[in-house]
């Protein structure tokens, strides 16, 4: 009888734990809604906080300073957009190769960090209006004498895992993938790691966003030892990534971005980080 009573207590405890965990799960999902019908805006507008996922080594879009502070072009832009709605932005460093997974799991609310719009990503998530034009460049050391993709024949190439450049290499293999050694690039978690190998001659070419390359090389003491070759891949647009069906949040971000373009705040952010308005689709809409 005593053993049966103890067994009953154990089963009851397990059931209570299971119910408790299930309750936690329900509360977690309710923050974001379902993937098909999310209600992120309703939640963040009440909590006055939104979580942005980023690669915190992607200069100048979003990166950590030596003191650990996260700064950058996209950091300023995101804060300026949500300041209009009285919402605080928290920036969460993530594994960039897992950015869409982090978004769909609800770990973050947005991907906002030099995130290129392309059909492959658009199948899984929703994008804001494009706010910046970018392209890929091939960075090498001048002593490698690489003047085009053709000069990479038999050489080792590097690219960031999960980046638009990595997708370009796979989607259009004839341009670069079929030329490089082993017909596969070396994949890096961050461009910082890739530049270390480029400097050490472990790779001979690095496919990278021109925005990152320009800013990074400009701040290197040995800038003159590098060379950037224009990419043969098409130009791309940066946008903010959010869950499918997040229509209200998309509308709020698009409206916020366009207001910044019209009131001059976007121009100030552009000048701060680039010294120019670069090629911003939003600025073209300003009369």
């Amino acid at each position: 009888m005593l053993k049966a009573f103890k067994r009953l207590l154990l089963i009851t405890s397990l059931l209570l734990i299971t119910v408790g965990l299930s309750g936690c799960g329900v509360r977690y999902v309710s923050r974001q809604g379902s993937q098909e019908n999310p209600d992120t805006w309703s939640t963040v507008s009440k909590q006055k906080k939104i979580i942005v996922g980023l690669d915190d080594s992607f200069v100048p879009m979003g990166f950590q300073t030596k003191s650990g502070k996260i700064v950058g072009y996209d950091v300023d832009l995101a804060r300026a957009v949500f300041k209009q709605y009285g919402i605080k932005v928290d920036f969460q460093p993530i594994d960039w190769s897992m950015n869409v997974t982090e978004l769909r799991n609800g770990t973050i609310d947005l991907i906002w960090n030099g995130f290129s719009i392309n059909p492959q990503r658009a199948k899984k998530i929703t994008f804001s209006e494009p706010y910046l034009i970018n392209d890929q460049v091939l960075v090498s050391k001048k002593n490698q004498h690489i003047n085009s993709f053709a000069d990479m024949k038999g050489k080792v190439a590097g690219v960031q895992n999960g980046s638009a450049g990595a997708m370009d290499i796979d989607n259009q293999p004839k341009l670069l993938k079929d030329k490089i050694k082993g017909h596969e690039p070396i994949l890096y978690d961050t461009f910082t790691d890739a530049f270390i190998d480029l400097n050490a001659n472990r790779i001979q070419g690095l496919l990278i966003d021109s925005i990152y390359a320009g800013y990074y090389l400009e701040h290197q003491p040995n800038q003159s030892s590098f060379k950037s070759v224009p990419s043969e891949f098409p130009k791309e647009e940066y946008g903010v990534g959010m869950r499918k069906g997040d229509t209200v949040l998309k509308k709020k971000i698009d409206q916020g971005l366009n207001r910044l373009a019209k009131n001059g705040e976007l121009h100030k952010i552009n000048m701060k980080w680039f010294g120019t308005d670069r090629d911003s689709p939003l600025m073209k809409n300003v009369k």
Side-chain angles (χ1 to χ4, degrees), residues 53-64 70-75 94 96 111-116 121 131-132 134-136 160 163-164 189-192 195 208-216 236 238 273-274:
L54 80 167
D55 166 11
D56 63 354
S57 66
F58 189 12
V59 296
M61 308 308 287
F63 60 100
Q64 278 199 35
I70 293 180
V71 299
Y73 178 86
D74 279 337
V75 172
I94 59 173
W96 195 244
I111 305 171
W112 196 332
N113 189 213
F115 194 45
S116 299
R121 287 169 171 164
Y131 61 87
L132 204 62
N134 178 59
D135 56 1
Q136 298 291 318
Q160 185 184 32
S163 67
D189 290 335
T190 68
F191 282 126
T192 302
F195 266 108
I208 184 173
D209 294 51
S210 62
I211 289 176
Y212 184 110
Y215 190 91
Y216 183 92
E236 57 201 33
Y238 283 164
W273 291 102
F274 304 129

Side-chain angles (χ1 to χ4, degrees), residues 84-112:
Q84 300 171 52
Y85 304 110
I87 293 171
K88 179 189 175 187
V89 185
D90 285 348
F91 295 92
Q92 177 63 51
I94 59 173
D95 178 345
W96 195 244
S97 66
M98 299 292 289
N99 49 35
V100 173
T101 300
E102 297 275 17
L103 177 67
R104 298 176 76 180
N105 286 347
T107 309
I108 57 176
D109 300 316
L110 297 171
I111 305 171
W112 196 332

Side-chain angles (χ1 to χ4, degrees), residues 88-256:
K88 179 189 175 187
V89 185
D90 285 348
F91 295 92
Q92 177 63 51
I94 59 173
D95 178 345
W96 195 244
S97 66
M98 299 292 289
N99 49 35
V100 173
T101 300
E102 297 275 17
L103 177 67
R104 298 176 76 180
N105 286 347
T107 309
I108 57 176
D109 300 316
L110 297 171
I111 305 171
W112 196 332
N113 189 213
F115 194 45
S116 299
I117 302 171
N118 61 41
Q120 189 172 341
R121 287 169 171 164
K123 290 178 182 179
K124 301 176 181 178
I125 62 175
T126 294
F127 279 100
S128 69
E129 287 185 27
Y131 61 87
L132 204 62
I133 304 296
N134 178 59
D135 56 1
Q136 298 291 318
V137 295
L138 185 67
V139 177
S140 63
K141 300 293 287 292
K142 284 185 178 179
N143 58 15
Q144 294 292 332
H145 306 291
I146 296 171
N147 301 307
S148 68
F149 279 11
D151 294 328
M152 283 296 295
K153 186 175 181 179
K155 297 183 183 295
V156 183
V159 69
Q160 185 184 32
N161 194 11
S163 67
M167 293 180 185
D168 284 340
I169 289 176
D170 285 337
N171 292 338
Q172 302 181 63
K174 290 183 179 180
L175 293 181
L176 185 60
K177 189 173 184 177
D178 291 349
K179 297 179 174 67
I180 60 179
K181 185 176 180 180
H183 305 300
E184 288 289 347
I186 303 297
L187 299 177
Y188 292 93
D189 290 335
T190 68
F191 282 126
T192 302
D193 294 337
F195 266 108
I196 290 173
D197 275 7
L198 186 67
N199 272 303
N201 297 315
R202 285 188 283 268
I203 59 175
Q204 288 74 57
L206 174 61
L207 191 68
I208 184 173
D209 294 51
S210 62
I211 289 176
Y212 184 110
Y215 190 91
Y216 183 92
L217 295 179
E218 186 179 328
H219 292 78
Q220 296 305 300
N222 59 337
Q223 179 183 357
S224 61
S225 66
F226 293 95
K227 181 173 185 177
S228 291
V229 174
S231 172
E232 297 177 30
F233 296 115
K235 286 184 178 292
E236 57 201 33
E237 298 173 320
Y238 283 164
V240 184
M242 60 205 87
R243 277 174 287 277
K244 279 286 188 183
D246 230 334
T247 53
V248 179
L249 181 59
K250 171 179 165 55
K251 180 180 178 181
K252 295 294 184 180
I253 291 174
D254 287 345
Q255 289 175 339

